[in-house]
Amino acid sequence: MDNLSDRMVRLKQLYEKYGLSAQPLEDDLRQLESFRIVVPVLGSFNTGKSALLNALLGRAVLPTGITAERSVPTEIVAGDDLLTIYREDTAEFAELSALRSGALDPEGIERLRLECDCELLRRFPDVMLVDLPGLDSGIEANEIATRRYLARSQAYLLVFSADEPVIKQSLTDFLSELRLYERPVFAVLTKCDKVLPQTSEQARLYLQKSLASQLVLPDVEVYRIQAGPQPDVQPVAQLLVRLQRCAEELRSQEFSGRLRRAARSAEGYLEMRLLDRTLTTSELEGRIGRIQDGMERLFEALDQNAAHFSGLLEQSEMAAKIYLREGMLELSPIIEAALAAGESPQAQVDGILRELLTATVHSEIDPVLQRYGKSMRELLALHQQAEPEHTVSRPPAELPAVATVETVLRHFTGSAAVFDQLFSSQSRFSLKLAALRKRLVPIVQGQVLPELERLVDTCIAESVAEYSEQYLSQVSAPALEELAFRRNALEDLRREKLSGEQAMRHSIGELQADLALVRELSRS
């Protein structure tokens, strides 16, 4: 029973055997089979991203030299040579050749999914590479799509060219953002076959030092490859094998936890079926009533704790907004200077706001989540002591992890709309004239900063709502579900007794064997 999928299937069969709802396990099985970590491939245009990926695939599948206007995120996984085209809520299928033939109209395409029959890809089935548009495309839709992937990625692969190993400004802004996610970053130096070996090694060392400085890391791994007529991408292939092992660990942690929770509920059900088998019908009805009362008391306690938690979150949300407003004071001179020069300060403003949001989450929101976790564990432990006969089998050792920083950065939409609106309503000449007449301050103070405040306020409010929903659903629901399973066990037993002793569907030996199985699963 070493295979996680096999264990989950076995538990699902036990659920079905005893008439328990197996739908959550079916959903978990589907997610288990499709689980992959996301590894975006980032870089400026013409750095050799597509050539690198083609070399990994062993054939020319992705178009090279593509323009920014025709570039869309392309997810790459092992499969049977199929291209899926996603446009809003629809999906259509095409052959891989459509990518290079030029017949594919990019209009309205949100993303592509490339399933490729490739021996190398099959060595890391739990890793999804994503070929993202060039970071210097200047197209807002491309930047939004890129940031959407950044927030849910487990590692980042940066691509540079050996003949130009410089970190452009467009990439500097992204590096500042990557640092906030605290995910591993790797770099690849392409076109090493087009320069002298000593030149490529000098470029590698220079890039390694520059990236370590930008990312504030002690070291960054930089791999040299060549993707020309005689490709050598072995260093990247070895990296992907390492990422596959990480993916397997993450996959096991996530779904083993789900398996254990489901097994514990079944364990409570079977324990009740065995322990109360000798009780009379009236005694069973009494036990059912006591469990129902215990569920109501626990639900009331959880509800009160949740209300207290929601109040604390509201307070932390207000504190977060005050913290952000204080931090945003430094934005005014930066915005004024850029507007005076007729330039948009969007990139610099977004970078500062992301860092402020990250610091705000750590200082104002994380402590509230930690306090709530402690109070939930204490509450469930007290309930277990007060009502040992019909309580949850054990309080959770810890609350489910909530990706607080990733969540708030995902909800941050950026300030492009604020400055686009400003430049559309007032020309650069008008802004320069306002600067000469010292009228930029009213524009910034009365128009720009209030819009930015509304932007971050919305971001914080949406993030806090998501934190609250995640914690309440992942803690309260499992505890009440386990009690419901125990009540259902007694109700099933009562129905069987009313039908006559000979109508018992499951023998003691059968129940004991199944209980031993779910206990093994719950502790695996």
Side-chain angles (χ1 to χ4, degrees), residues 126-359:
D126 296 334
V127 177
M128 179 171 73
L129 297 171
V130 185
D131 184 14
L132 290 173
L135 297 179
D136 49 0
S137 68
I139 298 176
E140 183 181 355
N142 288 349
E143 293 186 7
I144 292 173
T146 295
R147 286 193 166 89
R148 189 178 298 124
Y149 280 98
L150 294 185
R152 60 188 184 94
S153 301
Q154 283 72 41
Y156 307 103
L157 198 59
L158 307 179
V159 179
F160 299 86
S161 172
D163 55 7
E164 193 180 4
V166 295
I167 301 177
K168 298 180 180 179
Q169 184 60 45
S170 57
L171 185 55
T172 298
D173 297 332
F174 273 95
L175 290 177
S176 299
E177 185 174 346
L178 291 186
R179 189 172 67 248
L180 302 177
Y181 291 107
E182 299 180 345
R183 296 285 190 268
V185 178
F186 305 94
V188 177
L189 203 59
T190 62
K191 305 181 183 179
C192 289
D193 51 332
K194 297 184 178 181
V195 298
L196 295 173
Q198 58 266 35
T199 302
S200 69
E201 176 59 14
Q202 290 171 355
R204 186 189 70 81
L205 293 173
Y206 171 77
L207 187 59
Q208 188 174 47
K209 182 178 179 180
S210 300
L211 287 172
S213 174
Q214 290 271 358
L215 294 167
V216 195
L217 293 172
D219 192 21
V220 176
E221 296 181 37
V222 180
Y223 305 98
R224 292 184 297 168
I225 65 104
Q226 54 188 52
Q230 296 180 322
D232 178 13
V233 292
Q234 191 59 28
V236 178
Q238 292 173 349
L239 168 63
L240 292 173
V241 172
R242 285 167 52 193
L243 292 174
Q244 170 64 25
R245 288 197 292 268
C246 293
E248 290 169 356
E249 292 176 4
L250 289 172
R251 182 173 179 265
S252 177
Q253 290 171 6
E254 170 65 24
F255 291 95
S256 291
R258 299 190 194 186
L259 176 66
R260 283 192 295 271
R261 289 192 290 272
R264 281 200 296 265
S265 293
E267 182 181 357
Y269 175 90
L270 292 169
E271 284 176 345
M272 282 296 190
R273 290 295 302 263
L274 279 166
L275 292 174
D276 295 333
R277 196 177 180 88
T278 60
L279 297 180
T280 65
T281 302
S282 61
E283 288 172 332
L284 283 170
E285 289 173 349
R287 289 290 294 272
I288 292 170
R290 289 194 295 275
I291 284 186
Q292 185 63 40
D293 291 342
M295 286 180 66
E296 291 175 0
R297 284 190 291 272
L298 179 59
F299 182 82
E300 183 179 356
L302 289 170
D303 196 43
Q304 290 175 353
N305 204 42
H308 179 62
F309 171 55
S310 297
L312 288 176
L313 272 182
E314 288 179 7
Q315 294 175 20
S316 71
E317 181 180 336
M318 293 301 298
K321 290 176 180 179
I322 294 171
Y323 184 99
L324 282 166
R325 280 173 171 74
E326 293 174 350
M328 289 172 64
L329 294 175
E330 65 179 282
L331 290 177
S332 187
I334 294 172
I335 296 172
E336 291 168 18
L339 295 182
E343 299 173 352
S344 173
Q346 178 205 337
Q348 193 172 2
V349 167
D350 284 353
I352 293 172
L353 290 179
R354 287 190 181 92
E355 291 191 2
L356 278 173
L357 285 166
T358 301

Side-chain angles (χ1 to χ4, degrees), residues 405-423:
V405 171
E406 288 85 344
T407 300
V408 76
L409 292 179
R410 175 162 40 82
H411 283 289
F412 179 66
T413 57
S415 62
V418 175
F419 293 107
D420 288 349
Q421 181 183 13
L422 184 65
F423 278 104

